[in-house]
Amino acid sequence: MNNAQTSRVFSGIQPTGNLTLGNYLGAVKRFVEMQNSGIETIYCMVDLHAITTWQNPSELKAATRELAAGFIASGLDPEKSILFNQSQVGAHSELGWVFNCIARMGWLNRMTQFKDKAGKNRENASVGLFAYPTLMAADILVYHATHVPVGEDQKQHLELTRDIATKFNNDFDVNFFPITEPVIEGVATRVMSLRDGTKKMSKSDASDMSRINLTDSAELISKKIKKAKTDPDPLPSEVEGLNNRPEAKNLVNIYSGLSGLSPQVILSENGGRDFSKFKPDLAELAVSILTPISNEMTHLMKEPDQIDKILGNGAAKAAKIANPILEQTYDIVGLIRSK
Ligand code: AMP
Ligand code: TRP
């Protein structure tokens, strides 16, 4: 990514369930890298997106605080990044409404995440779940964010964000919203399930053995890695040898994401070894990185008031950026704002 062209980074994660290793490698670890490279960074717990499917109210509050703790424990610093929960900044929803009037039904009908989440019974999905991507576009564009780090699964939503910005600019003959760049980089943009190398590792998978949660104990992390599905062959020495071996590829990619070594370097060192030898090394690496994060999360979670204060301060900073952009949007659209 070219820093010189970057003015602002925004990303969000839903506070539903635990943060997984997929969220960590695909998103949070890169949020931290961007923060530390000195770019202006805004990271949001998207609680309004969470309620597009049913959430138990007290669990939602707990999950939002836990996500905040996960962000901070992973290295996001409230002094360097703006950290807040979406519902505390009303401008997201307000711009989301305007975008509901820009986006077309046909565009939203094509969204694969809606199809996946709504399942067979689409008539029974919430209207919010259908409109999810317009609120996501508002999250990003209400800050005029230029870059959005996400995992591979969010690519289609970011294309829609660009379509909304383009249509708005064309409809009103302005050059107001930036055409945001997705930042989908690295080997771990799609961490797969430990039980099935063709399925994404997900918070919502029925089997807890399919994923590593940031809150898992060292023993559980080791157990999950040792029980991870693999094929019977030893590791290849070249990256090409991972083709058509989704589980092997996934474990090498996870090792790569955690260690920062390229898959080729890992295979040069491990080619010919059996998974029974490689997995304990991977487990040790995962534990060494995730246990300090998990310990820090437990520590932070003991002070929920402190977390709420951080979110409130972050929301106030976020609103200062978002409100003037919302005001200008209303003006462009022709909505009167009394002085
Ligand atoms: P979510 O948990 O769906 O709110 O996702 C939060 C962020 O984590 C998004 O940027 C996702 O693209 C990313 N993410 C979720 N699951 C994975 C995965 N298995 N591999 C890589 N990135 C992921
Ligand atoms: N849709 C994203 C996900 O499921 C979460 C999200 C909401 C988001 N708003 C966003 C991500 C804005 C990036 C930018 O992972």
Side-chain angles (χ1 to χ4, degrees):
M1 203 179 95
N2 182 349
N3 286 359
Q5 286 170 11
T6 306
S7 54
R8 193 173 280 147
V9 168
F10 180 94
S11 196
I13 296 190
Q14 297 189 65
T16 46
N18 293 314
L19 271 177
T20 68
L21 182 65
N23 296 133
Y24 178 70
L25 293 177
V28 183
K29 187 168 184 250
R30 291 159 58 241
F31 296 179
V32 177
E33 288 163 3
M34 286 177 151
Q35 165 193 273
N36 293 342
S37 70
I39 308 167
E40 183 178 9
T41 43
I42 307 175
Y43 299 122
C44 185
M45 285 121 254
V46 289
D47 47 8
L48 295 174
H49 278 112
I51 61 167
T52 57
T53 57
W54 168 253
Q55 303 298 327
N56 172 296
S58 57
E59 284 172 18
L60 176 59
K61 286 186 182 168
T64 306
R65 294 189 180 112
E66 190 173 298
L67 180 55
F71 275 6
I72 297 167
S74 300
L76 291 179
D77 175 351
E79 298 296 318
K80 292 189 189 158
S81 291
I82 298 180
L83 306 179
F84 70 106
N85 57 312
Q86 188 186 27
S87 59
Q88 293 208 68
V89 180
H92 292 234
S93 307
E94 293 186 61
L95 186 61
W97 179 260
V98 175
F99 287 171
N100 279 339
C101 304
I102 299 286
R104 307 287 95 182
M105 294 288 286
W107 299 0
L108 294 180
N109 264 327
R110 286 194 286 275
M111 295 293 113
T112 55
Q113 184 169 304
F114 173 72
K115 290 182 200 166
D116 290 348
K117 285 202 179 178
K120 288 197 181 70
N121 195 357
R122 266 199 227 179
E123 292 291 309
N124 199 34
S126 73
V127 175
L129 189 66
F130 187 69
Y132 180 115
T134 57
L135 179 60
M136 177 162 164
D139 295 339
I140 297 166
L141 294 173
V142 84
Y143 299 99
H144 277 183
T146 53
H147 290 76
V148 182
V150 280
E152 175 72 34
D153 59 345
Q154 294 304 310
K155 203 169 166 198
Q156 195 185 33
H157 284 158
L158 289 178
E159 277 160 14
L160 188 95
T161 301
R162 292 161 66 94
D163 290 344
I164 289 176
T166 306
K167 186 169 191 304
F168 183 97
N169 289 345
N170 285 340
D171 284 356
F172 296 101
D173 196 20
V174 287
N175 185 10
F176 185 63
F177 287 118
I179 308 304
T180 306
E181 287 293 331
V183 186
I184 305 172
E185 283 170 357
V187 288
T189 54
R190 195 168 168 83
V191 177
M192 307 309 277
S193 155
L194 299 178
R195 308 303 304 162
D196 177 351
T198 63
K199 259 175 57 187
K200 186 183 82 159
M201 181 182 284
S202 162
K203 292 169 185 169
S204 52
D205 195 300
S207 161
D208 191 59
M209 290 300 281
S210 71
R211 63 180 161 262
I212 292 173
N213 306 302
L214 252 51
T215 47
D216 286 346
S217 66
E219 294 71 37
L220 190 54
I221 293 174
S222 297
K223 182 174 158 197
K224 286 178 176 176
I225 292 181
K226 287 176 191 159
K227 294 217 166 196
K229 187 178 166 201
T230 41
D231 56 42
D233 295 335
L235 281 156
S237 322
E238 303 293 331
V239 181
E240 292 71 41
L242 292 172
N243 291 344
N244 302 320
R245 296 181 64 186
E247 283 86 13
K249 185 172 179 178
N250 189 35
L251 294 186
V252 171
N253 282 347
I254 291 175
Y255 196 106
S256 172
L258 287 168
S259 65
L261 299 171
S262 72
Q264 185 52 59
V265 168
I266 295 164
L267 293 178
S268 303
E269 286 170 8
N270 289 279
R273 287 178 88 203
D274 284 332
F275 276 100
S276 59
K277 301 276 182 327
F278 180 71
K279 281 178 169 179
D281 288 355
L282 176 59
E284 198 185 321
L285 174 66
V287 166
S288 75
I289 290 178
L290 302 182
T291 307
I293 297 178
S294 156
N295 290 344
E296 180 62 12
M297 276 175 80
T298 310
H299 176 70
L300 291 166
M301 288 294 285
K302 291 198 179 114
E303 303 212 39
D305 292 350
Q306 203 49 37
I307 294 181
D308 292 2
K309 203 168 143 198
I310 290 172
L311 297 179
N313 288 339
K317 288 191 221 165
K320 273 205 175 127
I321 304 173
N323 289 341
I325 294 177
L326 179 70
E327 289 299 318
Q328 287 179 69
T329 310
Y330 279 157
D331 184 55
I332 291 169
V333 172
L335 307 173
I336 290 176
R337 317 300 291 160
S338 299
K339 294 269 179 310

